[in-house]
Amino acid sequence: MTEILRPIGGVDYPRTYQEFRAWFPDDTACVEYLGKLRWPAGFSCPRCGDGHSWRTGDGLWMCAGCGLKTSATAGTIFHRSHTPLSTWFAAVWFVTSQKNGVSAKGLEGALGFGSYETAWAWLHKLRRAMVRPDRELLGGVVELDQSFLGGKSAGKRGASSDKAPITIAVERDDSGQLGRVRLELADVPGGLDMIGFACEVITPGASIHTDGARMFARLTDKGYDHHAIAGYKADDLDTVMPGPHLVSSLLKRWTAGTLHYRISRQHLPYYLDEFTFRFNRRASKARGLLFYRLLQQSVDTDPHPLKELIGGG
Ligand SMILES: [Zn+2]
């Protein structure tokens, strides 16, 4: 998919709520917008790849090659939703225009949903569109560490069972400014899956800073420029590994402040995705750009039926 690399406010995305209302008065306007996001370089048939199509009266695209009728929402998270697209757009606007996001209860109230379950399911669908694993590799200098979410103390290794170990990888530049982050719920504290995660989310050849645990030596074999900081203790965290430490405190504050309830381990990975989406775009002053990005990623994300969401899938 060819993307617009620098979307422009007022041209590619609405800058204000007033513009949002003016651009999307009805479902037809939403369908047209999704069509452009889905096929930025023009229509491409999902079955035969033909680039020519006719528009049908009911908002569909009909392939000139094979005759397949397809919609802008087919195979995306909006697939077979019975709710008008304009309501989905309002939800996406609401979720992205609030700096810290919104709880299911908040979304239920704002959009006048009949049920908490609907609002909850929508938020989970949107979370699945927030991080695209294959497209956002970290680079430069990356600090890799683990922290715990849940439970009472914020200590490192040696957590009790109600605490979830979170692996944190975060970019840090020469001046100490943090860049992008990636997070993962680990199986066990200090486990080898930290290495697997690093290889998944960090560009080969990048510089990785870790504590002195012996297993991190493997990062050198994996082609990274590995720097071990020997012998630091939990007290040193702030100065020696400031990136993950800061991310960890922000994550704790966010889950406690915005979500207001305990997150089950089963759903935790998707909350981590939402935190990542927000953190990585925290410098963006244009909230409308987040709206644009989330919709763009939504038409690039498979549908997730409610049954699968409840099951964790
Ligand atoms: Zn076709």
Side-chain angles (χ1 to χ4, degrees), residues 60-99:
L60 301 176
W61 280 255
M62 189 168 102
C63 174
C66 72
L68 178 77
K69 281 187 187 176
T70 189
S71 69
T73 57
T76 74
I77 67 165
F78 307 116
H79 192 57
R80 298 217 171 99
S81 171
H82 298 299
T83 317
L85 261 185
S86 50
T87 310
W88 269 109
F89 272 47
V92 172
W93 181 266
F94 196 65
V95 163
T96 50
S97 62
Q98 313 280 317
K99 183 162 176 284

Side-chain angles (χ1 to χ4, degrees), residues 45 47-50 63 65-68:
C45 175
R47 186 161 70 192
C48 76
D50 198 294
C63 174
C66 72
L68 178 77

Side-chain angles (χ1 to χ4, degrees), residues 175-196:
S175 61
Q177 291 287 99
L178 298 188
R180 294 166 306 161
V181 73
R182 290 296 304 276
L183 304 172
E184 183 179 66
L185 172 60
D187 291 336
V188 291
L192 267 181
D193 56 356
M194 285 180 81
I195 305 292

Side-chain angles (χ1 to χ4, degrees), residues 79-182:
H79 192 57
R80 298 217 171 99
S81 171
H82 298 299
T83 317
L85 261 185
S86 50
T87 310
W88 269 109
F89 272 47
V92 172
W93 181 266
F94 196 65
V95 163
T96 50
S97 62
Q98 313 280 317
K99 183 162 176 284
N100 291 313
V102 61
S103 66
K105 198 85 204 145
L107 188 66
E108 184 191 359
L111 296 186
F113 282 132
S115 79
Y116 174 83
E117 190 190 52
T118 308
W120 183 90
W122 278 38
L123 284 174
H124 269 294
K125 280 176 182 252
L126 290 175
R127 282 185 189 110
R128 277 156 175 75
M130 285 182 179
V131 174
R132 291 179 297 180
D134 51 329
R135 296 200 180 190
E136 295 163 350
L137 293 184
L138 306 182
V141 174
V142 179
E143 294 180 344
L144 178 71
D145 202 358
Q146 222 165 43
S147 177
F148 291 97
L149 194 60
K152 284 213 168 71
S153 87
K156 264 183 72 77
R157 311 255 153 89
S160 61
S161 59
D162 63 331
K163 290 181 191 171
I166 309 292
T167 306
I168 301 171
V170 60
E171 297 170 334
R172 192 155 68 94
D173 68 16
D174 293 342
S175 61
Q177 291 287 99
L178 298 188
R180 294 166 306 161
V181 73
R182 290 296 304 276

